[in-house]
């Protein structure tokens, strides 16, 4: 697995990756209209804006495909979205972790 800083040209792939995770793992827990609002915030233009406005996006690649993404807004939060559930001993784990989405605050 290769981990590196994402490039602006990868915004479409990042947007698609994160949107698929949101639909699969979070969508059913949101109120009416919530999923649409969430997906709007994850579109390509919003992703480009975040990449260029100080939110470094790190991607993990396997066979050239994105398999993990970490988005960091230093020094406050770390958001990691993964495709599969992997139990961890992290202290600040949320229930969303069980759906494959981990959010850690420092």
């Amino acid at each position: 697995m290769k981990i590196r800083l994402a490039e602006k040209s990868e915004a479409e792939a990042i947007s698609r990756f994160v949107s698929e995770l949101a639909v699969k793992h979070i969508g059913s827990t949101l109120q009416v209209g919530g999923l649409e609002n969430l997906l709007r915030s994850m579109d390509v233009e919003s992703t480009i804006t975040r990449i260029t406005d100080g939110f470094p996006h790190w991607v993990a690649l396997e066979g050239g495909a994105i398999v993990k993404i970490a988005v960091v807004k230093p020094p406050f939060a770390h958001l990691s979205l993964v495709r599969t559930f992997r139990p961890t001993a992290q202290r600040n784990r949320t229930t969303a972790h069980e759906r494959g989405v981990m959010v850690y605050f420092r």
Side-chain angles (χ1 to χ4, degrees), residues 46-64:
S46 297
T47 302
I48 290 171
T49 299
R50 278 190 302 283
I51 289 172
T52 58
D53 282 352
F55 288 83
H57 287 54
W58 293 87
V59 292
L61 305 169
E62 285 184 356

Side-chain angles (χ1 to χ4, degrees), residues 12-24:
E12 184 175 350
I14 291 169
S15 174
R16 184 174 45 253
F17 180 86
V18 175
S19 295
E20 288 173 6
L21 288 174
V23 169
K24 182 176 180 181

